[in-house]
Amino acid sequence: MGENEATLPNTSLQGKKMAYQKVNADQRAPGHSQFLDNDDLQATALDLEWDMEKELEEPGFDQFQLDSAENQNLGHSETVDLNLDSIQPGISPKGRFQRLQEESDYITHYARPAPKSNRCNLCYLLKILCTATILFIFGIVIGYYAHKNCPSDATSSGTVYPQLYQEILKTIQAEEIKKSFRNFIQLYKSEDDMEISKQIKTHWTSLGLEDIQFVNYSVLLNLPGPSPSTVTLNSSGQCFLPNGQPCSEKARKDSSQDLLYSYAAYSAKGTLKAEVIDVSYGTADDLKRIKKMKNVTNQIALLKLGKLPLLYKLSLLENAGFGGVLLYIDPCDLPKTANFSHDTFMVSLNPGGDPSTPGYPSADGSFRQSRSNLTSLLVQPISASLVATLISSVKTRTKSDVCSPLELPNNEIRIVSMQVQTVTKFKTVTNVVGYVRGLASPDRYVIVGSHHHTAYSYNGQEWASSTAIITAFIRALMLRVKRGWRPDRTIVFCSWGGTAFGNIGSYEWGEDFKKVLQKNVVAYISLHSPIRGNSSLHPVASPSLQQLVVEAPSFLSEALFPRHATKIEEMDPFFNLHETITKLSGEVILQIANEPVLPYNALDIALEVQNSLKGDQPNTRQLLALASRLRESAELFQSDEMRPANDPKERAPVRVRMLNDILQDMEKSFLVQQVPPGFYRNILYHLDEKTSQFSILVEAWEHCKPLASNETLKETLSEVLNSINSAQVYFKAGLNVFESVLVGKN
């Protein structure tokens, strides 16, 4: 569901991002997707909760693979010189334990008694020859008519056909995506959320998607007031709008929707006159430094986006006693090609779902809590140009092109008055959900999510890219389904509503179907904002699927800029990027939906746990010992169970189903109940690409520094230890189950 959710294996339904290692295009294995070779692939931010399969490079792992390979019976008496470095996995992810194909070299010798006579022997041979000839001719006839009567497109659901995937994906064309994009853009002006949803449903129905439904929720939305918020300098009396323009009656009347929607949804509302205190990024260290110099009670914090989740930093500021926050993006944190100095943006302070029904769905008759604001702080996003005006700074880059961060000197005092206006209303949010039923495992779901424009939100139009891409894949998929083929698992296509206010539509759907989803969903692929720039490809996945990268700078996902259709078409004028992303994500969806064994890597989880405990962190000796045992269990599980299951010669349906059930749930051991605001409940997820340790441990250590003892740190260490132990027990239990099955059959 949006970028955060009822947590499911390998991905939360919310689509949360995780930071891992960036993969260079020139380091691809021979089995990489052909769509990555497209010269037009300049830009993207593709949120894929999956893995493109990279070979692990963890020290010591090659030795384990070598030992496993040497113990296999290759069927040859002579010594075989294996060059393991040359072995690469195919497109279908199997991990590094993909079985080497054995060559048949069997010679069967039959001991026959001596013939009684030449005549009997001749008669005997003639009988055999005649019988064999008749059977041969009969077999040819049967084969001919069987082949003639069988549909050529009817593919066994248990067999993986990469060429089939390519046939499906080659029907995706940039021109069709462009046409859909422009058609959807015409709908955003509608004041009714249902109107856009109806058009999406009509379009998907015409393509053949099955059982398409509207799923509506009445939710509490925090909307901007009738006029933009303002910031007024006390010294001069000058009034400014969030984008830095001077206030005027004409500006208020002519203010565009973009300016009106420069606000923080679910902020407190009102007016506050106080001193502006520069808290930089608002980390624990920043606040400790500031509180030593100034009294921060009821003051206004000047806060940069970045480094830590916004909700977490706001909680620190609220606990410290601040009364308001002016939020901005420092130009020095952006690529040189990006210029957002005068741009306004929207943020949501909602961690997810309908604020009036926290933790349960917004069904008719549900108890509604009164929560017009989710913080006591007055929060207002402002442009970098307004910040420069407030601190009297003109230039951010020197002659040597070195960027100078915006900063208010500690010895200077700025008094401002900030006014925040919002209105709270109950509105209907609509999700559109359609299905392609699976053939072999229809009760296992692969969810593919995009989002559509919500009528009461800001004017951005990148949602049309999201909707056009998911629609293009549906078109290509249904062309093949109409010819008799179906994937193994059911694919659920969702277009979420209310995303800008905190992924409300996806959260509510996740809460509504929580029991079913936790049991049956195997993956979530998010196409939330597929095209965000023109630099490189950034796929994101969960740990069991490895190969994760993060959007740079990643904090921009918290700020919603009103990106218009003209900007999107400037980035991708011929929609070649859209086509490439559709094909690349489509290949992912097909593999997850159709691979007999889910392409999840148990060993990657163990390696990630060990990597998260590296460094000079205190109190981790016991955790490291437990992580080592987890790795041993994961290695055995991967070698003894996953490798044979990936060999069609050894694959047994019952064992594959058991294996997939284990793979589907293996990350649930790392879910914790309580985390700091804005942090992921799955402790394997990192906050950004620079943080390699467990995020909740890093946060606990920060709070522990000034204290002789810290109960929070002890509790956090205990949670991590219990998670690692639970995962280790889970893998061992899986091995025991398979062993019991084998013993029972023997």
Side-chain angles (χ1 to χ4, degrees):
M1 313 234 218
E3 299 212 42
N4 326 307
E5 44 263 5
T7 308
L8 296 180
N10 304 302
T11 161
S12 65
L13 284 179
Q14 308 164 2
K16 283 285 190 185
K17 294 187 177 179
M18 307 170 355
Y20 283 82
Q21 180 178 2
K22 188 171 293 182
V23 180
N24 295 325
D26 57 354
Q27 294 177 338
R28 296 189 296 260
H32 73 273
S33 170
Q34 65 171 348
F35 304 115
L36 290 177
D37 291 326
N38 191 325
D39 292 336
D40 295 312
L41 182 56
Q42 311 165 3
T44 61
L46 177 62
D47 300 337
L48 296 179
E49 303 281 0
W50 86 296
D51 162 48
M52 295 287 291
E53 176 61 14
K54 81 178 181 71
E55 294 212 274
L56 304 178
E57 297 177 357
E58 178 71 6
F61 184 78
D62 285 339
Q63 182 61 44
F64 175 77
Q65 184 194 28
L66 179 61
D67 293 341
S68 299
E70 287 174 346
N71 291 332
Q72 295 183 29
N73 177 15
L74 297 178
H76 295 279
S77 59
E78 66 271 16
T79 301
V80 180
D81 192 15
L82 292 178
N83 180 5
L84 295 182
D85 291 336
S86 66
I87 299 173
Q88 300 284 354
I91 288 180
S92 173
K94 308 297 184 187
R96 290 191 82 172
F97 295 98
Q98 186 170 18
R99 178 175 290 276
L100 301 175
Q101 295 299 318
E102 298 181 359
E103 295 182 3
S104 300
D105 190 18
Y106 301 104
I107 302 176
T108 307
H109 301 279
Y110 296 95
R112 297 172 180 261
K116 293 183 179 180
S117 66
N118 290 337
R119 181 178 179 183
C120 291
N121 189 37
L122 181 60
C123 293
Y124 180 72
L125 290 176
L126 286 174
K127 289 179 181 179
I128 293 178
L129 181 61
C130 292
T131 302
T133 302
I134 293 172
L135 291 175
F136 177 73
I137 296 173
F138 187 60
I140 291 177
V141 173
I142 292 178
Y144 172 76
Y145 284 102
H147 177 75
K148 182 177 180 180
N149 294 330
C150 288
S152 59
D153 295 316
T155 305
S156 172
S157 62
T159 305
V160 180
Y161 288 140
Q163 67 271 21
L164 172 65
Y165 302 163
Q166 304 310 319
E167 290 176 8
I168 293 173
L169 300 174
K170 72 180 181 182
T171 63
I172 297 171
Q173 301 296 327
E175 194 58 38
E176 284 294 327
I177 301 175
K178 185 176 183 178
K179 182 179 178 181
S180 293
F181 173 83
R182 291 181 172 177
N183 287 339
F184 287 130
I185 285 296
Q186 301 303 316
L187 302 174
Y188 87 92
K189 295 180 181 179
S190 170
E191 291 298 323
D192 185 3
D193 185 48
M194 179 59 74
E195 184 62 30
I196 295 178
S197 301
K198 286 180 179 178
Q199 291 295 329
I200 294 174
K201 180 181 179 181
T202 299
H203 199 34
W204 287 4
T205 301
S206 68
L207 298 176
L209 201 61
E210 305 157 353
D211 194 20
I212 305 176
Q213 307 167 3
F214 289 139
V215 186
N216 299 324
Y217 298 99
S218 177
V219 301
L220 188 66
L221 299 184
N222 187 243
L223 308 174
S227 59
S229 299
T230 60
V231 177
T232 304
L233 270 173
N234 186 60
S235 59
S236 63
Q238 287 181 289
C239 174
F240 296 94
L241 298 174
N243 63 355
Q245 294 180 356
C247 300
S248 66
E249 190 63 28
K250 183 177 185 301
R252 289 178 182 273
K253 291 181 179 179
D254 298 341
S255 60
S256 67
Q257 191 184 37
D258 295 348
L259 187 58
L260 194 64
Y261 279 85
S262 174
Y263 81 114
Y266 305 102
S267 162
K269 59 183 179 180
T271 302
L272 175 64
K273 182 179 180 180
E275 179 184 353
V276 175
I277 299 178
D278 191 343
V279 298
S280 188
Y281 293 97
T283 65
D285 286 340
D286 289 331
L287 294 183
K288 291 172 191 173
R289 172 178 51 83
I290 294 297
K291 291 173 71 175
K292 288 179 181 179
M293 298 184 292
K294 294 189 175 185
N295 177 13
V296 301
T297 303
N298 288 328
Q299 305 298 348
I300 298 174
L302 184 62
L303 176 67
K304 298 180 184 182
L305 270 179
K307 290 195 175 180
L308 289 169
L310 174 61
L311 297 186
Y312 174 66
K313 296 193 293 186
L314 292 179
S315 70
L316 295 181
L317 294 173
E318 189 173 18
N319 292 336
F322 280 91
V325 177
L326 294 176
L327 182 67
Y328 74 103
I329 297 174
D330 195 314
C332 295
D333 291 329
L334 297 172
K336 292 182 180 180
T337 55
N339 183 11
F340 295 146
S341 296
H342 298 278
D343 288 358
T344 56
F345 58 95
M346 170 189 172
V347 296
S348 175
L349 309 186
N350 179 13
D354 177 12
S356 71
T357 58
Y360 55 95
S362 299
D364 291 342
S366 296
F367 171 70
R368 303 283 179 160
Q369 299 185 20
S370 177
R371 304 178 76 196
S372 59
N373 56 278
L374 301 180
T375 177
S376 63
L377 297 169
L378 272 71
V379 182
Q380 177 59 49
I382 60 176
S383 66
S385 62
L386 177 53
V387 175
T389 300
L390 296 178
I391 66 176
S392 303
S393 174
V394 179
K395 295 183 178 180
T396 58
R397 292 190 182 271
T398 63
K399 293 181 179 179
S400 60
D401 204 31
V402 176
C403 191
S404 299
L406 293 172
E407 184 178 5
L408 177 63
N410 293 326
N411 59 351
E412 296 186 15
I413 297 178
R414 299 286 190 279
I415 306 295
V416 304
S417 177
M418 60 182 295
Q419 182 185 46
V420 176
Q421 304 183 64
T422 59
V423 178
T424 303
K425 295 181 179 180
F426 279 96
K427 296 288 186 179
T428 298
V429 166
T430 303
N431 299 327
V432 185
V433 182
Y435 301 81
V436 175
R437 302 293 179 183
L439 192 60
S441 300
D443 61 336
R444 292 295 182 260
Y445 306 129
V446 177
I447 301 179
V448 184
S450 65
H451 74 289
H452 57 262
H453 179 69
T454 301
Y456 322 101
S457 66
Y458 74 115
N459 214 11
Q461 296 169 3
E462 72 281 353
W463 67 270
S465 287
S466 172
T467 306
I469 282 177
I470 195 173
T471 300
F473 178 69
I474 292 173
R475 179 187 294 107
L477 183 68
M478 296 313 297
L479 286 176
R480 194 68 184 191
V481 170
K482 291 174 182 177
R483 295 167 59 187
W485 174 87
R486 282 185 178 272
D488 273 9
R489 303 175 184 92
T490 295
I491 305 177
V492 185
F493 293 97
C494 307
S495 182
W496 308 119
T499 300
F501 296 95
N503 302 308
I504 290 181
S506 56
Y507 254 95
E508 293 306 309
W509 191 76
E511 290 173 342
D512 207 358
F513 297 91
K514 181 178 180 180
K515 298 298 183 182
V516 175
L517 298 176
Q518 286 183 336
K519 180 181 178 182
N520 293 13
V521 172
V522 299
Y524 177 82
I525 294 100
S526 172
L527 297 174
H528 179 80
S529 294
I531 306 293
R532 291 186 180 180
N534 55 2
S535 57
S536 56
L537 174 69
H538 295 289
V540 177
S542 60
S544 55
L545 296 172
Q546 198 63 19
Q547 189 168 316
L548 308 181
V549 290
V550 70
E551 172 102 20
S554 60
F555 64 85
L556 283 183
S557 61
E558 295 180 317
L560 300 177
F561 289 90
R563 184 170 294 162
H564 297 285
T566 53
K567 290 284 187 180
I568 295 173
E569 295 206 30
E570 285 175 7
M571 286 191 296
D572 188 18
F574 301 106
F575 277 69
N576 292 330
L577 298 181
H578 285 74
E579 177 184 322
T580 300
I581 292 305
T582 308
K583 289 180 176 179
L584 184 59
S585 56
E587 189 174 12
V588 174
I589 297 165
L590 289 170
Q591 289 184 14
I592 296 178
N594 209 52
E595 292 285 343
V597 178
L598 289 172
Y600 301 162
N601 198 313
L603 184 58
D604 282 350
I605 289 183
L607 296 177
E608 185 58 37
V609 169
Q610 288 187 317
N611 289 334
S612 298
L613 294 173
K614 288 181 178 179
D616 56 352
Q617 305 171 4
N619 308 317
T620 58
R621 179 175 299 178
Q622 189 175 3
L623 296 179
L624 284 168
L626 196 56
S628 179
R629 293 199 292 272
L630 171 63
R631 176 169 174 168
E632 291 174 1
S633 297
E635 286 174 341
L636 288 174
F637 181 83
Q638 185 113 350
S639 177
D640 293 355
E641 304 305 333
M642 291 193 68
R643 181 177 61 181
N646 281 313
D647 186 345
K649 297 178 182 178
E650 300 185 21
R651 187 182 298 148
V654 174
R655 291 176 63 83
V656 168
R657 181 68 181 218
M658 291 169 57
L659 176 60
N660 282 336
D661 287 345
I662 294 173
L663 293 173
Q664 178 178 314
D665 292 337
M666 61 186 178
E667 277 190 31
K668 289 184 179 179
S669 298
F670 295 94
L671 296 179
V672 296
Q673 292 300 318
Q674 298 294 328
V675 293
F679 280 59
Y680 308 120
R681 284 187 57 220
N682 186 330
I683 65 173
L684 294 175
Y685 289 21
H686 296 165
L687 292 179
D688 56 48
E689 72 276 16
K690 298 178 181 178
T691 304
S692 60
Q693 295 94 357
F694 287 115
S695 298
I696 62 171
L697 282 181
V698 174
E699 191 272 339
W701 282 318
E702 288 295 320
H703 277 80
C704 179
K705 286 180 181 178
L707 305 175
S709 63
N710 189 295
E711 292 298 321
T712 300
L713 176 60
K714 294 177 181 178
E715 292 175 1
T716 304
L717 286 167
S718 179
E719 282 188 316
V720 174
L721 185 143
N722 290 334
S723 295
I724 299 173
N725 181 66
S726 175
Q728 196 263 341
V729 170
Y730 183 76
F731 285 129
K732 285 191 66 177
L735 287 167
N736 292 337
V737 168
F738 280 105
E739 185 177 350
S740 300
V741 171
L742 287 176
V743 172
K745 287 188 176 182
N746 293 334

